[in-house]
Amino acid sequence: MSKTMEIVGHAGIVTCCNFLNENFIVSGSNDSVLILWDIEKEGASVRQFVDHESEITCMDVCEEDRNIIVSGSDDTTIRVWDVRVKEPCTRVFEESKSSINSVKFMPGR
């Protein structure tokens, strides 16, 4: 039997989401925010990551360390996040001249 839960918190359409582990989900939206959710606490919003300036279009979770997330946005940046630290945006790639539509960690890197 499957368990269904509604999580509410984004001001826009959710464009991407991924599991960090069995307890946490991260979602991105056209409201330019990533939200970390605790699904064991009925979908409580744990933290918001707000450095993007436009719609978040894609994200990936690092297989080697599932606390590390990469996100791409219509603001033409790629951002790397570490959900464990106070200043979670650890790196910004700004060289793109157009929207970022796909991001993926390289296995073993």
Side-chain angles (χ1 to χ4, degrees), residues 21-82:
N21 56 43
E22 62 275 355
N23 297 323
F24 293 96
I25 294 175
V26 64
S27 61
S29 171
N30 68 0
D31 62 7
S32 75
V33 178
L34 285 169
I35 299 179
L36 179 63
W37 307 93
D38 185 338
I39 57 176
E40 288 297 310
K41 295 184 179 173
E42 299 187 23
S45 172
V46 175
R47 190 167 189 187
Q48 294 191 5
F49 307 100
V50 296
D51 291 3
H52 279 297
E53 297 176 7
S54 188
E55 175 179 353
I56 296 170
T57 56
C58 53
M59 81 164 88
D60 193 28
V61 176
C62 180
E63 290 294 324
E64 284 79 25
D65 182 348
R66 298 198 65 84
N67 293 295
I68 307 294
I69 302 163
V70 63
S71 59
S73 172
D74 278 347
D75 67 9
T76 72
T77 66
I78 296 170
R79 295 180 186 271
V80 180
W81 311 86
D82 186 335

Side-chain angles (χ1 to χ4, degrees), residues 80-92:
V80 180
W81 311 86
D82 186 335
V83 301
R84 299 167 293 195
V85 297
K86 184 175 182 174
E87 298 294 328
C89 185
T90 61
R91 184 132 188 218
V92 180

